[in-house]
Amino acid sequence: MEQSTLITDFSLIRNAAGRLVLTTNDGNVHEGVFPMRAFPISAPAEGLSLIGENGHELAWVASIASLQNATRNLIEEELARREFMPEICSISHVSSFATPSIWQVETDRGDTELVLKAEDHIRRLTHTSLLITDDHGVNFLIRDIDQLDNHSRKLLDRFL
Amino acid sequence: MIVVHSAAVNNKIIPANATNKTLPLAWQVAAHSQLAEAEEICAWLEINLDNNLHFKKRLLIITNQRFLTVANYPEKIESYPFHAGLALKHHDNAGVANIELFDGEIQLAHWFYTLAHDFSATRFIKQFELHLASFLTGQPITTETSEVCPNCQSPLEADQDECPQCSSTIDAPPSTWTLFRLWRFAKPYKWQLLTGFLLMLASTAATLVPPYLTIPLMDKVLIPYQNGAPIDIGMVALLLSGLLGSALLAWGLGWARTYILALVSERIGADLRTITYEHLLKLSLEYFGGKRTGDLMSRIGSESDRICVFLSLHLLDFATDVLMIIMTSAILISINPKLALVTLLPLPFIAWMIHVVRDKLRTGFEKIDRVWSQVSNVLADTIPGIRVVKAFAQETREATRFREANQHNLVVNDRINKIWSLFSPSVTLLTEIGLLLVWAFGIWQVSRNEISVGVLTAFLAYISRFYTRLDSMSRIVSVTQKAASGAKRIFDILDHVSSVPEPSNPVHLDKVVGQIEIKSAGFRYGNRAVIKDLSLIIQPGEMIGLVGHSGSGKSTLVNLMCRFYDVTTGSINLDGVNIRSLPISEYRRNIGLVLQEPFLFFGSIAENIAYGKPEATRAEIVAAARAAHAHEFILRLPHGYDSVVGERGQGLSGGERQRISIARALLIDPRILILDEATASVDTETEKEIQKALDNLVHGRTTIAIAHRLSTLHKANRLVVLDRGEIVEVGSHDELMACEGAYYRLYQAQARNVDTDLDDVKNDNEITHKAVSA
Ligand SMILES: Nc1ncnc2c1ncn2[C@@H]1O[C@H](COP(=O)(O)OP(=O)(O)OP(=O)(O)O)[C@@H](O)[C@H]1O
Ligand SMILES: [Mg+2]
């Protein structure tokens, strides 16, 4: 599993405890680092920071594409689990048009239920995309309202 | 940031949920098929994500021999027999929690779930530790008789599975018949309403007399005259005076009705406003944090007004109209059922149309409301921040933002008006067609001598009124929808249950000593854990200095102590009583809070100082001001204590405002004093003044002081160093200096007069920044 990259001046591995270990080119070793995107919504492919367990930035990656495959895979794997943001593909049912309301949704990660506590938990990102935060802090993304089917759009419209 | 809770083993049994009996039906077959002989399920946890973070349910089970997972879909069954070194850990990030199974240092497996399952997960891990320990030692699990809530550690009643303080259920959403809920506000006025209603009946009846009088006028006077008979003057006079009389009666009754009902509706509107505002004030800071001022203002201000107008004007008209339709129909049917039937024919059509349009409009009006609050939000954002706007010369941009919000408003309105504008003409068209029908059918009936000309004219007189009312009645659709959506938005506030609820069985503390105990408190803002498993006991009269770098959770801890928020886990006790069981205002009365950004209300300085104790005498106010070292500068103001300070206390310097807020805290003579960076942004001279003021304040009270400048904490009995929501060091200044830990480094940095914070110092030797070139 051990992989090191040459182009960039750090190497990243996952240890037996499941933590990412970063070794910088000057020999410093940091265990339990995690990647964090600087603009997870507006520019996910740019600007990524590797942060140590103590919350300090250890390395900065300007563009994820510039990383070597192995490192990028590790980072993306870690990101996938840190950035849990199911994308809503359709809304099958809402319990009421007044909040709190329970929504049955289909997402790219399977069907689930979310509780919308208040209308303000729907945040408009751009003209066509929305971020919905449920009762427990899970963020759901609607990438493009216009891509939703009619039924979902109608339901959603009642909350916008 | 990763949060690791490695739950401590404790030998309290965790209540129900995690037992065999309550295993969900769907899982029973799958789970039991996995079990060996003499193996039984001790605890379980249903999780809702698979390892690719897809929503799929799985079951984690602890038996008396091992740990295993079960899934209802094809996937490897994982099984881990108990042995020494096995441990479960869990942490969470961005709404997803992760349970990891470790064998010593090695991660064997991990599972994900969303935070909705978090409470049971904590319990599950505790169960795991208990059963593993019991397996390894061969000892049965010790059970404690008194069960405590696994979450807040408060004792549970024997029959309670869930802690009443922690269990949070989703409140049922308000019903769509929101307007009927206004009855709650109308109830106190039911007698006036009844009077109004009776007057309405009478006045409507009075307006229906004139058309009826046209029948004899036509049949007994005009038509006989045309046929050569002389006019009966007496009868004409009688009929005409009847017309005049009924008109006068309708006028008088109508006036009384409108007056009484308008009076009542105005009162209902006022009650609605005040009650909503009172409720709003009781909501927790969490609510205000998530709302925008402009939106709340428009809800309480204009929407309650809209409801009021609706009640006093539109609903009244509508009720009159409905009454009139019913009475007219009755009269028409009594005169001639056949013609009445034809006359009333268009009614169902119109009713149907109203119904259709109604649905379309309702959503539209809700939208308009939201757009309206957007517009007012822009205002509420920029007006208080006008200095920033001007400083960065962003007037045009703010103007554009406003114009855009307005534009949006226009677009939404345009869309609605499209439907709406079609509606009225359609009703008019139907009306005309209806009239046509009556004419045609009437003429036919007259020709067959089924009715007299008088009856036909009466019918025409009735229905032309009737249909014009229908037209105005149709307007009720839009206003009702508007009022209903306004009512909904108001009830949204009213239905919101404070997230720091009043206790159901309040405990009253006679005399507060001031001992504060924080028991493994945890707190998260949304999905961000900010305070983690923090325990601290503060003795009565003790002064605690809270230090730590920016964002370490100091203010949050203070918010928890003031019960602006409730802890997510653990508990905070005052004199041994959970603060959740104390009445909120009674509890807060014991707390004096001085914030970094002191807020002064519009009013005189004296009023501001006496804010927490309005009945304070002038002497008390002056004494408090003196103690806060504010007396002298107040006297230098043109009107002394009567000087009016504006919104946000403009006209006073930061330090002056600060001292007024200290005086305010001093005046209520609290047992507990909380100073959140009370001297952060003032010059050294003023700081000394404020420091002197604070020294007066601190004396003999339990004090929690937050400060970045460590010198201000020289009086503290103990210093508590916080780092990322956890206590890293506790001790006196000398002790902490001696152990050369985080505090020492922080102090050294300040002594060197370098503007560094705790964290940067700690990482002095590390390479903190590494740029990776693309
Ligand atoms: N209302 C909120 N919603 C979400 N997160 C918040 C909220 N208030 C504070 N936080 C976060 O909680 C953490 C602790 O904040 P807190 O205000 O307690 O820090 P602090 O120690 O008082 O810092 P400072 O010394 O700068 O005042 C910070 O990371 C902050 O971003
Ligand atoms: Mg703070």
Side-chain angles (χ1 to χ4, degrees):
Chain A
M1 209 175 158
E2 183 160 338
Q3 292 289 341
S4 59
T5 52
L6 296 171
I7 325 170
T8 53
D9 37 8
F10 65 81
S11 74
L12 201 62
I13 54 159
R14 191 184 286 281
N15 67 7
R19 307 274 178 266
L20 287 182
V21 179
L22 174 92
T23 314
T24 48
N25 65 338
D26 46 16
N28 280 317
V29 179
H30 305 273
E31 204 190 306
V33 300
F34 52 90
M36 203 78 117
R37 288 190 222 262
F39 305 97
I41 291 156
S42 58
E46 278 167 44
L48 178 117
S49 181
L50 289 173
I51 295 180
E53 234 172 1
N54 56 7
H56 271 280
E57 183 177 50
L58 300 169
W60 171 261
V61 181
S63 150
I64 296 171
S66 71
L67 288 170
Q68 256 208 358
N69 277 347
T71 313
R72 195 173 64 222
N73 289 347
L74 268 182
I75 287 181
E76 275 175 354
E77 194 184 296
E78 191 68 21
L79 280 174
R81 68 176 75 149
R82 302 187 62 84
E83 297 180 334
F84 182 65
M85 192 157 66
E87 220 178 294
I88 296 180
C89 322
S90 92
I91 304 167
S92 31
H93 179 77
V94 302
S95 69
S96 88
F97 293 116
T99 51
S101 159
I102 302 168
W103 295 20
Q104 312 287 341
V105 294
E106 280 167 38
T107 71
D108 59 343
R109 293 175 184 274
D111 298 355
T112 188
E113 193 178 276
L114 70 94
V115 178
L116 182 75
K117 252 226 175 126
E119 277 156 18
D120 336 60
H121 291 194
I122 303 180
R123 193 181 130 205
R124 214 172 247 285
L125 298 175
T126 65
H127 254 323
T128 53
S129 60
L130 300 174
L131 192 71
I132 299 171
T133 310
D134 89 341
D135 202 18
H136 294 284
V138 178
N139 290 317
F140 291 84
L141 181 74
I142 296 184
R143 198 170 286 282
D144 190 351
I145 303 175
D146 300 328
Q147 296 296 311
L148 291 180
D149 57 280
N150 258 337
H151 177 66
S152 314
R153 222 176 23 232
K154 238 177 227 157
L155 291 179
L156 184 66
D157 207 42
R158 297 287 297 269
F159 294 89
L160 299 180
Chain B
M1 205 173 285
I2 293 189
V3 185
V4 180
H5 304 274
S6 48
V9 182
N10 71 11
N11 56 354
K12 290 166 186 159
I13 188 75
I14 285 93
N17 182 31
T19 63
N20 191 4
K21 273 172 245 145
T22 43
L23 189 63
L25 259 171
W27 287 113
Q28 283 186 359
V29 178
H32 285 285
S33 68
Q34 296 303 320
L35 297 188
E37 248 175 72
E39 187 175 18
E40 54 183 81
I41 297 176
C42 304
W44 55 269
L45 174 72
E46 191 183 54
I47 56 176
N48 59 351
L49 292 173
D50 67 6
N51 277 14
N52 299 322
L53 292 164
H54 282 225
F55 289 103
K56 273 182 188 160
K57 292 213 157 58
R58 265 202 286 186
L59 196 66
L60 308 183
I61 298 175
I62 301 166
T63 73
N64 48 356
Q65 299 166 11
R66 58 182 173 148
F67 179 92
L68 85 161
T69 69
V70 180
N72 270 342
Y73 53 96
E75 184 168 286
K76 205 174 70 208
I77 304 264
E78 295 161 285
S79 163
Y80 304 93
F82 279 163
H83 62 265
L86 229 45
L88 277 184
K89 284 184 182 173
H90 89 298
H91 59 81
D92 63 78
N93 174 269
V96 179
N98 189 353
I99 286 196
E100 293 171 302
L101 182 66
F102 277 93
D103 184 3
E105 286 295 297
I106 307 200
Q107 190 198 53
L108 295 177
H110 60 135
W111 301 275
F112 297 101
Y113 56 91
T114 63
L115 283 183
H117 300 250
D118 205 39
F119 286 156
S120 20
T122 323
R123 259 185 265 180
F124 182 74
I125 291 176
K126 283 195 180 146
Q127 284 284 335
F128 174 80
E129 281 155 0
L130 286 178
H131 287 279
L132 178 63
S134 132
F135 177 84
L136 293 175
T137 59
Q139 303 280 320
I141 294 167
T142 46
T143 49
E144 275 200 3
T145 37
S146 90
E147 295 188 339
V148 295
C149 168
N151 176 25
C152 69
Q153 311 294 327
S154 60
L156 288 178
E157 300 292 317
D159 54 342
Q160 282 176 328
D161 272 0
E162 256 183 301
C163 173
Q165 285 166 341
C166 297
S167 60
S168 58
T169 44
I170 299 162
D171 339 295
S175 88
T176 27
W177 290 95
T178 328
L179 273 177
F180 283 100
R181 301 182 58 199
L182 287 174
W183 174 243
R184 171 181 150 197
F185 295 93
K187 218 169 164 194
Y189 304 102
K190 53 177 183 270
W191 294 115
Q192 285 98 314
L193 282 172
L194 185 69
T195 319
F197 184 72
L198 292 177
L199 282 169
M200 188 192 293
L201 268 181
S203 70
T204 312
T207 56
L208 290 177
V209 175
Y212 201 82
L213 293 181
T214 55
I215 304 178
L217 214 52
M218 200 54 88
D219 289 348
K220 301 247 169 71
V221 180
L222 290 177
I223 295 181
Y225 173 73
Q226 245 178 4
N227 295 342
I231 285 182
D232 181 347
I233 304 287
M235 187 179 236
V236 170
L238 194 70
L239 287 173
L240 288 186
S241 54
L243 280 177
L244 180 69
S246 62
L248 284 176
L249 193 66
W251 172 77
L253 288 171
W255 169 79
R257 165 204 76 174
T258 315
Y259 181 68
I260 287 187
L261 291 180
L263 223 60
V264 171
S265 74
E266 220 34 82
R267 274 163 189 66
I268 292 175
D271 288 354
L272 188 65
R273 253 192 302 273
T274 34
I275 289 175
T276 315
Y277 182 60
E278 277 167 15
H279 185 82
L280 184 69
L281 287 182
K282 288 205 192 98
L283 292 178
S284 73
L285 278 190
E286 187 187 350
Y287 184 80
F288 290 94
K291 291 282 185 249
R292 300 182 63 180
T293 319
D295 180 45
L296 290 179
M297 273 161 57
S298 91
R299 285 189 194 204
I300 294 183
S302 53
E303 314 231 334
S304 63
D305 192 52
R306 182 186 293 166
I307 291 175
C308 178
V309 169
F310 166 76
L311 290 178
S312 66
L313 222 65
H314 304 294
L315 189 61
L316 189 60
D317 281 352
F318 182 71
T320 317
D321 293 341
V322 170
L323 274 180
M324 200 177 82
I325 289 183
I326 293 171
M327 287 183 187
T328 316
S329 318
I331 295 171
L332 292 184
I333 289 171
S334 74
I335 301 175
N336 186 303
K338 249 199 224 160
L339 188 56
L341 213 65
V342 175
T343 316
L344 299 176
L345 211 61
L347 252 189
F349 277 112
I350 294 177
W352 171 77
M353 251 184 74
I354 289 178
H355 176 77
V356 170
V357 177
R358 187 189 151 108
D359 241 27
K360 299 226 167 210
L361 288 177
R362 183 181 51 214
T363 52
F365 285 121
E366 272 179 35
K367 252 202 172 115
I368 290 186
D369 284 347
R370 270 185 230 128
V371 174
W372 255 119
S373 13
Q374 263 176 35
V375 174
S376 44
N377 272 335
V378 174
L379 292 179
D381 268 1
T382 33
I383 295 174
I386 190 69
R387 278 169 64 177
V388 182
V389 175
K390 284 187 179 298
F392 288 90
Q394 293 296 321
E395 289 95 336
T396 21
R397 169 171 142 188
E398 293 302 336
T400 316
R401 206 149 75 95
F402 188 72
R403 193 175 317 123
E404 268 167 15
N406 238 338
Q407 195 63 38
H408 193 173
N409 185 14
L410 266 185
V411 171
V412 175
N413 266 298
D414 284 352
R415 212 175 312 153
I416 274 221
N417 286 337
K418 218 180 274 169
I419 310 170
W420 179 232
S421 53
L422 195 67
F423 190 55
S424 287
S426 313
V427 172
T428 318
L429 182 68
L430 281 178
T431 312
E432 297 295 337
I433 294 173
L435 274 174
L436 206 78
L437 270 178
V438 175
W439 270 114
F441 195 74
I443 291 171
W444 180 71
Q445 274 194 313
V446 169
S447 74
R448 297 185 45 179
N449 281 328
E450 275 176 24
I451 55 168
S452 63
V453 177
V455 170
L456 181 59
T457 41
F459 261 77
L460 288 170
Y462 271 122
I463 64 154
S464 53
R465 275 175 192 232
F466 181 106
Y467 279 155
T468 47
R469 294 317 297 165
L470 266 191
D471 189 26
S472 83
M473 258 175 90
S474 63
R475 221 152 280 156
I476 191 74
V477 181
S478 74
V479 289
T480 314
Q481 294 315 338
K482 274 186 190 169
S485 68
K488 190 204 127 192
R489 285 157 57 78
I490 287 187
F491 280 109
D492 268 355
I493 298 181
L494 282 174
D495 291 336
H496 197 95
V497 188
S498 173
S499 58
V500 283
E502 285 283 353
S504 42
N505 302 312
V507 179
H508 298 276
L509 287 179
D510 288 337
K511 200 176 168 305
V512 174
V513 184
Q515 192 227 39
I516 302 173
E517 182 180 6
I518 305 170
K519 276 195 203 163
S520 56
F523 178 72
R524 50 176 86 237
Y525 288 111
N527 61 24
R528 275 177 74 191
V530 176
I531 299 283
K532 296 152 214 162
D533 201 22
L534 191 149
S535 300
L536 182 68
I537 299 183
I538 303 171
Q539 296 307 334
E542 192 181 22
M543 177 174 177
I544 292 283
L546 212 52
V547 298
H549 67 85
S550 186
S552 56
K554 304 181 296 290
S555 303
T556 307
L557 191 59
V558 159
N559 284 341
L560 293 177
M561 286 191 202
C562 296
R563 222 186 150 210
F564 291 146
Y565 297 89
D566 267 338
V567 286
T568 326
T569 56
S571 67
I572 297 180
N573 295 353
L574 172 67
D575 296 348
V577 181
N578 192 334
I579 57 171
R580 283 181 173 185
S581 44
L582 298 171
I584 294 172
S585 57
E586 210 176 291
Y587 171 63
R588 295 223 181 105
R589 213 169 298 141
N590 293 304
I591 298 180
L593 182 63
V594 181
L595 294 173
Q596 179 180 0
E597 257 307 311
F599 188 91
L600 300 189
F601 293 95
F602 185 84
S604 73
I605 287 189
E607 282 162 1
N608 264 293
I609 292 177
Y611 188 73
K613 191 182 173 189
E615 73 280 6
T617 62
R618 292 202 179 85
E620 281 176 308
I621 292 175
V622 172
R626 261 188 223 282
H629 288 249
H631 184 64
E632 286 175 4
F633 90 78
I634 294 174
L635 290 184
R636 281 198 298 270
L637 295 172
H639 300 285
Y641 280 87
D642 290 326
S643 312
V644 171
V645 286
E647 239 180 294
R648 282 186 290 282
Q650 264 141 13
L652 292 182
S653 79
E656 288 166 342
R657 258 182 281 162
Q658 189 60 268
R659 276 175 279 169
I660 290 184
S661 77
I662 293 173
R664 187 192 281 164
L666 245 174
L667 188 66
I668 60 170
D669 190 23
R671 289 313 311 150
I672 300 162
L673 186 66
I674 295 178
L675 310 167
D676 191 350
E677 293 172 35
T679 60
S681 57
V682 290
D683 62 87
T684 346
E685 198 61 24
T686 322
E687 188 192 334
K688 274 202 193 111
E689 284 281 302
I690 295 179
Q691 197 57 47
K692 275 189 248 160
L694 286 178
D695 290 347
N696 281 333
L697 197 48
V698 165
H699 189 72
R701 300 172 213 275
T702 307
T703 306
I704 295 111
I706 298 178
H708 276 298
R709 261 179 249 177
L710 300 178
S711 54
T712 47
L713 297 175
H714 65 279
K715 286 222 166 163
N717 303 87
R718 279 192 299 164
L719 294 166
V720 173
V721 187
L722 271 190
D723 187 25
R724 267 170 281 136
E726 283 164 312
I727 294 181
V728 288
E729 280 179 353
V730 183
S732 70
H733 173 79
D734 297 335
E735 286 163 16
L736 293 182
M737 288 303 281
C739 76
E740 305 203 347
Y743 180 79
Y744 172 82
R745 288 190 293 267
L746 190 61
Y747 191 85
Q748 288 296 317
Q750 286 201 356
R752 287 205 309 268
N753 209 6
V754 185
D755 196 14
T756 346
D757 80 5
L758 173 65
D759 226 37
D760 291 337
V761 186
K762 201 159 61 185
N763 292 288
D764 253 358
N765 305 322
E766 291 173 24
I767 312 272
T768 54
H769 204 90
K770 188 121 244 116
V772 179
S773 51

